[in-house]
Amino acid sequence: MDSDEAPEPERIHATGAGSNVGDEQFVWPWMGVLLNVPTEWMGGWKDGGMRRGGILKERLLRFCPHMVIPLGDQFGHHTGIAIVLFGQDYACLGKALDFENHFEAQGRGKRGWEAHTFRPLPGEIFGWVALADDWRTAGLTGEFLRSHGGLKTIAQLESKMQSEMQKLALLLSTRKNLDKEKKMQKPDATGNLEFEIKQLKGQLEVMKQKDSESKRKIDELNKELQEKDDKIEYMESIHGILVTKDLKSNDELQDAWKKLIKGLGDVTSCRTNVGIKRMGDLDSRSFANACKHKMSEIEATILCSEWEDEIKNPQWHPFKVVPDDGKGKQKLILLEDDEKLGKLKEKCGEDAYALVVGALRDINEYNPSGRTTVPVLWNNKEDRKATLGDGIGYLLQRCGLKRKR
């Protein structure tokens, strides 16, 4: 027996319109709520599992959802409620708001749900972006939102980015001043003084062999020698202070880099100009596309996971050491005849082989000893490692984002 009639879902109360967008609390990572989702009777059970979630996701493809999860009761029956997962960055927030505006324009948004006084028609789905009142509500919806997300405002995200940007700018100014001071105290000046001291000591030994009439000259030379000893000691002290400041500044700069990478990881994606690239990760979507003529999507997903483990395995080392163009240095190059890579090329083709080799080279460059992936600030537009200026520029562009009602 099949039926598309949805049960009466739990009541969720809408907030008033016209709230301050900067202070409005969203569920983060961004999520959407769907109510009155149709169900079907299959073998005595109301089906609302992965199959129905997949159908809903296809219907919402224009909003780029990561996943649609139907909620079931304690008996596994579908409740007519589903949660849409959009992701964490600003681009995903834009898609989530488009999703909300789509339902609102048809009178099937949160206000429409609160306004209806009769049981909605089967298939008449209502949807909106999850906010603080949804997160706090009792029932399955609130329980899911609280266990999978928190509350954040746009103002909080902007404030965090502005704070990191100010700290980075301060560190850059400090670093520039230290560089100027170091240039003024060049090691060459110390070397010149040491050479003069050596010459004076030589002259002093010659003078000691002469008669007492040279005593005055010897005293003058001793005085000059002492002055130069004092000067070189002072310069070495200054140089030590500058080196210590430089090391501290570098530590602070590295810490700021890490915070910048972590912060941008929350607000960027592979479609933004600047994002985070995990060096050593295998792109599962590209791998599946490379293998689509060789095997099913599920088989390709499983094989991709196995190769991710191989890439991070420190016991597997498909490289050899060779001289680096006669410069007395050495470098690692990939073994073209490696047995595992050869079987991969034969089974899945050149494209899948190239993806694995690229991930191997990345992890060997950025973390050859640990063989774990490393997050790197990446300029997606120019396909290169991003500079600090790239990161700050991107933050400046994003700080002005406002929600459109």
Side-chain angles (χ1 to χ4, degrees):
M1 178 179 179
D2 294 337
S3 173
D4 278 339
E5 181 176 352
E8 181 70 30
E10 59 199 56
R11 304 298 293 181
I12 298 178
H13 300 284
T15 55
S19 59
N20 189 333
V21 176
D23 296 329
E24 191 169 21
Q25 291 182 307
F26 291 79
V27 177
W28 185 88
W30 322 116
M31 302 186 197
V33 178
L34 291 175
L35 295 184
N36 201 40
V37 177
T39 62
E40 298 176 355
W41 283 95
M42 299 185 65
W45 294 82
K46 288 186 178 180
D47 172 45
M50 294 302 294
R51 188 174 71 83
R52 174 63 65 184
I55 294 173
L56 286 171
K57 183 178 179 182
E58 290 180 4
R59 292 178 62 181
L60 299 172
L61 278 179
R62 78 181 83 170
F63 309 115
C64 303
H66 289 191
M67 188 179 298
V68 179
I69 303 177
L71 302 185
D73 61 18
Q74 59 181 333
F75 304 107
H77 295 160
H78 181 40
T79 60
I81 307 171
I83 302 298
V84 186
L85 308 183
F86 288 101
Q88 300 181 350
D89 59 44
Y90 276 124
C92 293
L93 174 59
K95 293 296 183 182
L97 297 178
D98 290 343
F99 158 88
E100 179 178 85
N101 292 335
H102 166 75
F103 282 97
E104 190 69 36
Q106 301 178 57
R108 289 190 283 118
K110 198 166 190 178
R111 295 181 182 84
W113 175 256
E114 283 294 317
H116 86 276
T117 57
F118 54 87
R119 187 184 185 90
L121 297 174
E124 189 179 23
I125 301 176
F126 291 72
W128 58 84
V129 173
L131 299 175
D133 57 327
D134 304 305
W135 188 84
R136 297 189 178 98
T137 190
L140 291 174
T141 302
E143 290 175 5
F144 183 93
L145 296 176
R146 288 190 294 274
S147 62
H148 293 82
L151 295 177
K152 283 193 177 183
T153 65
I154 299 297
Q156 286 175 329
L157 291 175
E158 290 179 353
S159 176
K160 179 181 177 182
M161 287 191 298
Q162 288 173 350
S163 176
E164 292 297 332
M165 185 173 60
Q166 290 172 355
K167 185 172 182 180
L168 284 171
L170 179 61
L171 284 173
L172 280 176
S173 298
T174 304
R175 186 63 181 264
K176 288 179 179 178
N177 290 335
L178 285 173
D179 288 342
K180 289 180 180 178
E181 290 183 33
K182 287 175 68 179
K183 288 179 180 178
M184 293 175 64
Q185 301 289 344
K186 292 183 179 179
D188 289 346
T190 302
N192 291 336
L193 282 172
E194 290 175 345
F195 177 74
E196 291 179 11
I197 290 172
K198 186 176 180 180
Q199 284 186 320
L200 288 170
K201 285 182 177 180
Q203 294 178 28
L204 186 59
E205 289 299 321
V206 173
M207 295 295 290
K208 284 180 179 179
Q209 298 176 9
K210 296 185 179 181
D211 56 18
S212 59
E213 293 179 1
S214 303
K215 186 178 182 303
R216 184 179 57 84
K217 184 63 175 178
I218 292 174
D219 291 339
E220 291 176 357
L221 288 174
N222 276 329
K223 183 179 179 182
E224 186 178 355
L225 182 61
Q226 184 60 49
E227 289 174 352
K228 292 187 182 295
D229 278 334
D230 292 343
K231 188 173 182 179
I232 196 170
E233 183 178 348
Y234 169 77
M235 293 180 68
E236 287 175 347
S237 174
I238 294 297
H239 180 70
I241 292 172
L242 291 176
V243 168
T244 301
K245 287 184 178 180
D246 184 60
L247 291 174
K248 182 180 179 182
S249 174
N250 188 63
D251 289 342
E252 292 176 347
L253 192 59
Q254 291 302 316
D255 181 61
W257 263 108
K258 292 177 182 178
K259 290 182 178 178
L260 177 62
I261 289 173
K262 183 179 183 301
L264 285 177
D266 295 339
V267 297
T268 61
S269 69
C270 62
R271 295 182 294 275
T272 56
N273 288 345
V274 175
I276 306 301
K277 180 178 180 181
R278 299 196 67 86
M279 309 309 289
D281 262 359
L282 189 57
D283 188 331
S284 57
R285 181 176 294 180
S286 299
F287 190 89
N289 288 337
C291 299
K292 64 182 178 182
H293 298 303
K294 304 285 186 177
M295 60 189 70
S296 69
E297 184 176 352
I298 294 178
E299 290 173 327
T301 301
I302 294 173
L303 183 61
C304 179
S305 178
E306 291 174 353
W307 271 103
E308 284 180 336
D309 292 339
E310 287 289 355
I311 290 169
K312 298 170 186 174
N313 179 11
Q315 303 301 321
W316 180 47
H317 195 73
F319 299 94
K320 65 179 179 180
V321 179
V322 298
D324 188 8
D325 298 332
K327 298 178 180 178
K329 297 182 180 180
Q330 295 179 328
K331 65 179 179 179
L332 291 177
I333 64 171
L334 194 69
L335 290 172
E336 300 293 341
D337 57 351
D338 180 80
E339 183 179 356
K340 291 182 181 179
L341 292 175
K343 289 181 179 179
L344 172 66
K345 184 187 291 187
E346 182 179 349
K347 181 178 180 180
C348 301
E350 289 284 348
D351 291 342
Y353 169 82
L355 288 170
V356 171
V357 168
L360 273 169
R361 285 177 173 153
D362 286 344
I363 208 168
N364 186 64
E365 178 182 353
Y366 286 89
N367 192 9
S369 58
R371 291 294 283 272
T372 56
T373 58
V374 177
V376 173
L377 194 63
W378 197 257
N379 189 315
N380 295 319
K381 184 177 181 181
E382 300 180 12
D383 193 26
R384 59 169 173 79
K385 186 176 180 180
T387 63
L388 191 59
D390 292 336
I392 293 176
Y394 179 79
L395 287 175
L396 286 170
Q397 291 177 356
R398 287 297 180 184
C399 279
L401 180 63
K402 299 292 181 183
R403 180 185 178 196
K404 296 180 180 179
R405 298 290 300 185

